[in-house]
Amino acid sequence: MKKLFFIFILLLFISSCGSSFGATGNIYLGFAGDVGYYDFDKQEFIEKKWTSVSASGLYDDFDISWDNKKILLTMDVNGTFNFDERRYVLRKIEDSFKKKDLDEDGKNLIDNTYEWGDISYLTARISPDEKYLALEAQYFSDLPMTIIDTKTGKEVSQWEVEGVSFLKYGTPTWTLDNSVYFKIGTGLYKSSPSDGYKSAPKVLDISGASYVSVKPQTELEIR
């Protein structure tokens, strides 16, 4: 009952905001292990599209493509604990997310693995052109901020700042021009496709900020 009441109040707020500002597309909601979405165009709420890792032990995380039509899922390779590789799959949002369907129905647009020692969870963000994944740094596996090629699963670039704990790295954020921004300690860094993501200069000091996100207008927002 509490879950339904919470979602009802949240949807009233979302619906009123969407109507006021002419919002389109979907907004995704995670609650108690379930992930659903609200479709602004159809004024329709799908309460449970799939179950997240906290309840099923299958999916690590998810990300939505920039065209709002596909979903990136990260997970264990074999459905059991595997400490050296993670699987990532890109599918159309309307397709099934059941493990059997991911393995057998042939609808995966991208299906690959990334290998890294002691990795047991993967947070990935897909680029607008869907050619790259930006991986969030990981403290327990000593994984730096990393960009990989979606087709090969191979690393394109990695960055870390000496003396800064991986706990102080932020979730990477893409912009429409396929540049990626990420927080390390008190600095904001940027890497772009102009040099094949080979460099990542510090572009701003953001002392006191917790995270970086992108507004719909593709402007950076720092909080």
Side-chain angles (χ1 to χ4, degrees):
M1 180 64 71
K2 288 183 179 179
K3 174 183 176 181
L4 292 176
F5 179 74
F6 172 81
I7 291 176
F8 176 71
I9 295 299
L10 184 58
L11 287 177
L12 283 178
F13 173 76
I14 291 172
S15 180
S16 62
C17 290
S19 300
S20 300
F21 296 101
T24 61
N26 301 333
I27 186 168
Y28 291 82
L29 311 171
F31 190 88
D34 294 337
V35 179
Y37 66 92
Y38 183 82
D39 188 322
F40 283 107
D41 300 315
K42 297 180 180 179
Q43 295 285 294
E44 179 183 15
F45 176 59
I46 305 300
E47 181 180 346
K48 181 179 178 181
K49 177 62 176 176
W50 74 92
T51 300
S52 66
V53 64
S54 59
S56 71
L58 176 60
Y59 302 129
D60 296 341
D61 198 12
F62 72 94
D63 191 31
I64 305 301
S65 64
W66 277 63
D67 62 7
N68 205 38
K69 296 179 180 179
K70 298 177 283 292
I71 184 169
L72 177 77
L73 298 165
T74 56
M75 68 200 80
D76 186 78
V77 173
N78 300 313
T80 57
F81 290 109
N82 183 324
F83 297 108
D84 293 312
E85 54 186 352
R86 306 306 290 173
R87 179 185 180 190
Y88 57 89
V89 173
L90 185 71
R91 290 171 68 87
K92 291 182 179 179
I93 288 179
E94 64 263 25
D95 291 336
S96 167
F97 299 151
K98 293 180 180 179
K99 178 64 166 56
K100 182 178 180 181
D101 294 329
L102 264 66
D103 293 340
E104 299 177 3
D105 69 7
K107 294 183 179 180
N108 297 339
L109 303 174
I110 295 174
D111 189 345
N112 215 330
T113 59
Y114 175 65
E115 296 186 26
W116 185 266
D118 295 326
I119 191 169
S120 58
Y121 188 92
L122 188 65
T123 297
R125 297 292 177 259
I126 193 165
S127 62
D129 63 9
E130 300 174 8
K131 294 181 179 180
Y132 302 97
L133 297 184
L135 310 183
E136 183 177 315
Q138 247 184 59
Y139 175 75
F140 293 106
S141 65
D142 292 329
L143 175 69
M145 163 60 204
T146 302
I147 292 180
I148 65 172
D149 186 303
T150 56
K151 296 296 185 183
T152 66
K154 302 300 183 182
E155 294 153 7
V156 175
S157 292
Q158 290 185 313
W159 298 278
E160 59 182 299
V161 175
E162 186 176 356
V164 179
S165 168
F166 287 132
L167 293 173
K168 296 183 179 180
Y169 284 51
T171 302
T173 300
W174 294 95
T175 51
L176 189 58
D177 63 353
N178 292 295
S179 294
V180 63
Y181 291 81
F182 49 93
K183 175 182 177 291
I184 299 180
T186 60
L188 179 66
Y189 297 79
K190 175 187 178 181
S191 186
S192 70
S194 60
D195 67 349
Y197 304 104
K198 298 304 180 185
S199 63
K202 182 178 178 180
V203 295
L204 193 65
D205 183 89
I206 52 173
S207 300
S210 300
Y211 67 89
V212 177
S213 62
V214 177
K215 291 183 178 180
Q217 300 88 350
T218 69
E219 298 174 347
L220 275 177
E221 183 176 45
I222 301 170
R223 292 187 179 182

